[in-house]
Amino acid sequence: MVEVLATVLTYASLAVALWGVVLVVANRRFALNRPYGLALAGAVLLLELGLLVQMVAGLVNVFSTDRNVATGTFIGYLVGPVLIVPLAAVWAAAERSRWGSAVLVIGCLTVPVLILRLRQIWDGHG
Amino acid sequence: MAEQGDLKQVTRSGPGRLLIAVYGIFVIAATARSAVQIATHFGRAPLAYVLSAVAAVIYIVALVCLVKGSRTSRRIAMISCAVELVGVLVVGTVSLFAPQLFPDATVWSFYGRGYGFVPVVLPILGLWWIRATARHEVAG
């Protein structure tokens, strides 16, 4: 578990989700041909990179630690957000209404939940 | 008269797009959960873990059928949503009154409390969405 990265990723995903909420309220789709959509896509990409780093670091940690961590479950929660965020982004971008932005919101909101579970499992009471 | 392509488009657009996204998340969650449970400690709570696997399969069927969006697949999606609703209500009630049957949690325990009660709302929304878009189905 890299505490700092987990915290940064939690707030980053919430920020991206908030951005998505603004688009939903403003009745805008997740449009990649508009600056607000392109910037959001960039933020999603950065979030995904951070999640990938967390996954690699987490895998290294879980196999080198002396703690009693439920390895399989821990790996599941490491890989989960790495899959969910890009899938949500692609699925969201294909929609021509505000519901696409809503998809991105839901996808990003799973990240803090999964990181919370990751922390609980790392601390041994998952 | 709507074409088959339109029906697919209608099924996976608007609210349907979000519905499918949530189903996708539950496919990942339920499949991963039951795979880990069955692979690492099946003996601890066989009934709960078999139910987790059943739930995962039902989510997969609903997801694939909603994405496909044909008349037949929508019918199958409707059935799997109905089974899902019955499942979450039965398992939720049993886990409430006979918790000893479920030493470990499933997606449907306590009406999906561990997942923000989304498991009980999702099949209702699925059934509603298929009904709401039913007028786009080609007659006959």
Side-chain angles (χ1 to χ4, degrees), chain B residues 15-66:
Chain B
R17 172 99 17 197
L18 184 60
L19 184 70
I20 289 171
V22 178
Y23 263 107
I25 290 168
F26 270 83
V27 164
I28 294 173
T31 309
R33 178 172 209 165
S34 77
V36 169
Q37 286 175 335
I38 289 172
T40 61
H41 46 260
F42 183 69
R44 197 191 294 167
L47 176 63
Y49 299 160
V50 166
L51 271 171
S52 283
V54 169
V57 170
I58 291 169
Y59 284 125
I60 291 170
V61 171
L63 173 71
V64 171
C65 288
L66 284 171

Side-chain angles (χ1 to χ4, degrees), chain A residues 2-50:
Chain A
V2 184
E3 280 301 325
V4 179
L5 184 58
T7 305
V8 169
L9 288 173
T10 298
Y11 285 110
S13 56
L14 287 174
V16 175
L18 185 65
W19 198 335
V21 169
V22 171
L23 291 190
V24 172
V25 173
N27 199 8
R28 297 287 165 86
R29 70 186 180 96
F30 177 34
L32 295 174
N33 56 351
R34 295 273 189 281
Y36 60 81
L38 207 58
L40 181 54
V44 170
L45 196 66
L46 285 176
L47 178 62
E48 176 66 8
L49 283 175

Side-chain angles (χ1 to χ4, degrees), chain A:
Chain A
M1 220 31 220
V2 184
E3 280 301 325
V4 179
L5 184 58
T7 305
V8 169
L9 288 173
T10 298
Y11 285 110
S13 56
L14 287 174
V16 175
L18 185 65
W19 198 335
V21 169
V22 171
L23 291 190
V24 172
V25 173
N27 199 8
R28 297 287 165 86
R29 70 186 180 96
F30 177 34
L32 295 174
N33 56 351
R34 295 273 189 281
Y36 60 81
L38 207 58
L40 181 54
V44 170
L45 196 66
L46 285 176
L47 178 62
E48 176 66 8
L49 283 175
L51 290 168
L52 277 168
V53 172
Q54 173 177 259
M55 184 183 76
V56 174
L59 286 173
V60 171
N61 284 344
V62 79
F63 286 117
S64 57
T65 184
D66 298 331
R67 307 160 79 109
N68 187 20
V69 177
T71 310
T73 314
F74 190 77
I75 293 173
Y77 282 97
L78 280 175
V79 176
V82 171
L83 295 178
I84 290 173
V85 167
L87 285 174
V90 170
W91 190 242
E95 170 69 25
R96 300 194 160 277
S97 74
R98 65 165 81 186
W99 290 96
S101 306
V103 167
L104 199 60
V105 172
I106 296 298
C108 286
L109 287 182
T110 62
V111 175
V113 179
L114 295 177
I115 289 179
L116 181 71
R117 292 284 296 137
L118 210 50
R119 277 210 171 96
Q120 291 171 342
I121 297 161
W122 184 254
D123 292 339
H125 39 77

